[in-house]
Amino acid sequence: MEKKRNPINYFRGVSREMKRVRWPSKEVFLSSIGVVLCITIFASLILAVEDLAGSTLVEQLRNAFQSLRG
């Protein structure tokens, strides 16, 4: 038989676990956010450049094969 789960007990357990967590200091938290934002911006720029290069390549190939058709 499966034990019935009580949502109230679940949230009490979550609350107990959250009190055990060692939260980072404000300085560590803000510097971590800065690192994440820098990596995100850098990755988005790389992906944008790759997308532009890929679309340009596809467009040039399309034009090259279009001219072969006549």
Side-chain angles (χ1 to χ4, degrees):
M1 268 201 254
E2 187 176 320
K3 184 179 175 183
K4 238 182 172 181
R5 297 179 186 197
N6 187 349
I8 293 172
N9 287 337
Y10 171 77
F11 286 111
R12 282 183 185 152
V14 169
S15 176
R16 273 193 306 264
E17 288 298 320
M18 293 298 284
K19 290 176 183 174
R20 292 181 188 174
V21 173
R22 279 188 71 203
W23 296 100
S25 66
K26 186 176 181 179
E27 292 81 20
V28 171
F29 181 71
L30 291 177
S31 66
S32 297
I33 287 177
V35 169
V36 169
L37 287 175
C38 288
I39 291 172
T40 302
I41 291 168
F42 180 73
S44 65
L45 290 173
I46 295 291
L47 290 173
V49 168
E50 287 179 345
D51 183 51
L52 179 63
S55 64
T56 302
L57 178 63
V58 168
E59 188 65 33
Q60 287 182 358
L61 287 171
R62 182 177 291 145
N63 290 339
F65 285 110
Q66 187 98 20
S67 65
L68 290 177
R69 284 186 178 176

